[in-house]
CSV table of all heavy atoms in Angstrom, one decimal:
chain,number,residue,atom,x,y,z
C,319,SER,N,18.2,21.9,-6.9
C,319,SER,CA,19.6,22.1,-6.8
C,319,SER,C,20.3,20.9,-6.1
C,319,SER,O,19.6,20.1,-5.5
C,319,SER,CB,19.9,23.4,-6.1
C,319,SER,OG,19.5,23.3,-4.7
C,320,GLU,N,21.6,21.0,-6.0
C,320,GLU,CA,22.4,20.0,-5.2
C,320,GLU,C,22.0,20.1,-3.8
C,320,GLU,O,21.9,19.1,-3.1
C,320,GLU,CB,23.9,20.1,-5.4
C,320,GLU,CG,24.4,19.5,-6.7
C,320,GLU,CD,24.2,18.0,-6.8
C,320,GLU,OE1,24.3,17.3,-5.7
C,320,GLU,OE2,23.9,17.5,-7.9
C,321,ALA,N,21.8,21.3,-3.3
C,321,ALA,CA,21.4,21.5,-1.9
C,321,ALA,C,20.0,20.9,-1.6
C,321,ALA,O,19.8,20.3,-0.5
C,321,ALA,CB,21.4,23.0,-1.6
C,322,ASP,N,19.1,21.1,-2.6
C,322,ASP,CA,17.8,20.5,-2.4
C,322,ASP,C,17.9,19.0,-2.3
C,322,ASP,O,17.2,18.3,-1.5
C,322,ASP,CB,16.9,20.9,-3.6
C,322,ASP,CG,16.6,22.4,-3.6
C,322,ASP,OD1,16.4,23.0,-2.5
C,322,ASP,OD2,16.5,22.9,-4.7
C,323,PHE,N,18.7,18.4,-3.2
C,323,PHE,CA,18.9,17.0,-3.2
C,323,PHE,C,19.5,16.5,-1.9
C,323,PHE,O,19.1,15.4,-1.3
C,323,PHE,CB,19.7,16.5,-4.4
C,323,PHE,CG,20.0,15.1,-4.5
C,323,PHE,CD1,19.0,14.1,-4.6
C,323,PHE,CD2,21.3,14.6,-4.4
C,323,PHE,CE1,19.2,12.8,-4.6
C,323,PHE,CE2,21.6,13.2,-4.5
C,323,PHE,CZ,20.5,12.3,-4.6
C,324,GLU,N,20.5,17.3,-1.4
C,324,GLU,CA,21.1,16.9,-0.1
C,324,GLU,C,20.0,16.9,1.0
C,324,GLU,O,20.1,16.1,2.0
C,324,GLU,CB,22.2,17.9,0.2
C,324,GLU,CG,23.5,17.6,-0.5
C,324,GLU,CD,24.1,16.2,-0.2
C,324,GLU,OE1,23.9,15.7,1.0
C,324,GLU,OE2,24.6,15.5,-1.1
C,325,ASP,N,19.0,17.8,0.9
C,325,ASP,CA,18.0,17.9,1.9
C,325,ASP,C,17.2,16.6,1.9
C,325,ASP,O,16.8,16.1,2.9
C,325,ASP,CB,17.0,19.0,1.6
C,325,ASP,CG,17.5,20.3,2.3
C,325,ASP,OD1,18.2,20.3,3.3
C,325,ASP,OD2,17.1,21.4,1.8
C,326,THR,N,17.0,16.0,0.7
C,326,THR,CA,16.3,14.7,0.6
C,326,THR,C,17.1,13.6,1.2
C,326,THR,O,16.5,12.8,2.0
C,326,THR,CB,16.0,14.4,-0.9
C,326,THR,OG1,15.1,15.4,-1.5
C,326,THR,CG2,15.3,13.0,-1.0
C,327,LEU,N,18.4,13.6,0.9
C,327,LEU,CA,19.2,12.6,1.6
C,327,LEU,C,19.2,12.7,3.1
C,327,LEU,O,19.3,11.8,3.8
C,327,LEU,CB,20.7,12.7,1.0
C,327,LEU,CG,20.8,12.3,-0.5
C,327,LEU,CD1,22.3,12.5,-0.8
C,327,LEU,CD2,20.3,10.9,-0.8
C,328,ASP,N,19.2,14.0,3.5
C,328,ASP,CA,19.2,14.3,5.0
C,328,ASP,C,17.9,13.7,5.6
C,328,ASP,O,18.0,13.1,6.8
C,328,ASP,CB,19.3,15.8,5.2
C,328,ASP,CG,19.4,16.1,6.7
C,328,ASP,OD1,20.2,15.5,7.4
C,328,ASP,OD2,18.6,16.9,7.2
C,329,VAL,N,16.8,13.8,5.0
C,329,VAL,CA,15.5,13.2,5.5
C,329,VAL,C,15.7,11.7,5.6
C,329,VAL,O,15.3,11.1,6.6
C,329,VAL,CB,14.3,13.6,4.7
C,329,VAL,CG1,13.1,12.9,5.2
C,329,VAL,CG2,14.1,15.1,4.8
C,330,MET,N,16.3,11.1,4.6
C,330,MET,CA,16.5,9.7,4.6
C,330,MET,C,17.4,9.3,5.7
C,330,MET,O,17.2,8.2,6.4
C,330,MET,CB,17.1,9.2,3.2
C,330,MET,CG,16.1,9.4,2.1
C,330,MET,SD,16.9,9.0,0.5
C,330,MET,CE,17.2,7.2,0.6
Side-chain angles (χ1 to χ4, degrees):
S319 65
E320 279 299 323
D322 293 322
F323 178 61
E324 283 297 327
D325 274 336
T326 297
L327 295 179
D328 184 51
V329 173
M330 292 175 67

